[in-house]
Amino acid sequence: MSAALGVLASFLSIALVWPQVWLSCRHRRTLGMSPTGTWLAVALNHCWLTFGVLTGDPAQIVTNTVVGAANTALLLALLVTQPRLRARGVLLRTASGALCLVAFATGSAAVVVVLGADPAALAGPLGATASLVGAAACLPQPLSLLRDRAQDVSGLSPARWVLGAGACAAWTAYGIALGQPAVWLSAAVGLAAAGVVCGVLLGPWVRLAPVGRGVLAAA
């Protein structure tokens, strides 16, 4: 059962990012995307990839390698299409947490490779950190949408968030099946956040800007 859940979670996680990649990288539409959330998505992929290597979990390794590349492309698209996000002050505010997380994950891997430390001993703190940060990283996007219901969300793909809800549900079940609280706690918070975003994007009260009227069709 856990193997099947891992395959399902990996498939959904890999699939969910591509509607957003198509919208943002192909059509250069990034309005509504949270810069903090996008930076943290890249950092978390790096963190969970390292966790997967330390624990020998192929589902984590494959998923976060592919999705990490896609999220990196989304981050680049966001920075290219919105130059104000490249300002030093904005980068300090939006990217600092993500860079600290990358440094922590890289340092954990280096301790294993260079000093020969027990991978399992470092995987625990790394997974716990990724879980806590992952839960926090789920919040900027839904909070941004709830604070301003009238904002232009033409850069957000509804399909990405529907698939995201399914992926989080699968990861929650996978983490519970394997007894990995770091995995299922983070995924459960992500499921709640994805539900809020889906409700905002798909709800009848959403006001899309003229350029965003084809979002559902494009997604």
Side-chain angles (χ1 to χ4, degrees):
M1 176 64 73
S2 61
L5 287 171
V7 171
L8 177 61
S10 296
F11 173 78
L12 290 174
S13 294
I14 292 172
L16 72 86
V17 73
W18 298 109
Q20 188 66 58
V21 169
W22 176 260
L23 193 64
S24 299
C25 297
R26 176 65 178 83
H27 296 288
R28 299 172 64 87
R29 289 161 60 176
T30 60
L31 292 176
M33 291 176 61
S34 166
T36 301
T38 305
W39 273 104
L40 285 173
V42 175
L44 283 166
N45 284 137
H46 177 76
C47 198
W48 284 117
L49 173 60
T50 304
F51 177 83
V53 172
L54 293 177
T55 58
D57 188 340
Q60 292 282 7
I61 294 172
V62 173
T63 300
N64 288 288
T65 297
V66 177
V67 179
N71 278 327
T72 300
L74 288 175
L75 176 61
L76 292 175
L78 183 63
L79 295 176
V80 168
T81 57
Q82 300 190 40
R84 64 180 181 81
L85 298 179
R86 302 199 299 267
R88 183 177 180 180
V90 177
L91 286 174
L92 285 173
R93 187 175 68 253
T94 60
S96 296
L99 294 178
C100 289
L101 185 60
V102 168
F104 178 59
T106 302
S108 298
V111 169
V112 173
V113 173
V114 177
L115 302 180
D118 180 11
L122 291 171
L126 180 60
T129 300
S131 179
L132 291 173
V133 175
C138 295
L139 301 179
Q141 188 68 72
L143 289 177
S144 173
L145 296 179
L146 291 175
R147 281 198 302 265
D148 183 8
R149 296 285 186 87
Q151 69 177 289
D152 185 349
V153 294
S154 60
L156 293 180
S157 168
R160 176 258 181 271
W161 288 98
V162 171
L163 290 170
C168 287
W171 281 118
T172 300
Y174 179 74
I176 292 174
L178 291 185
Q180 294 181 342
V183 175
W184 70 259
L185 283 171
S186 179
V189 175
L191 176 58
V196 171
V197 176
C198 287
V200 172
L201 292 179
L202 301 177
W205 59 85
V206 174
R207 180 183 66 81
L208 293 178
V211 68
R213 288 176 182 165
V215 172
L216 289 175

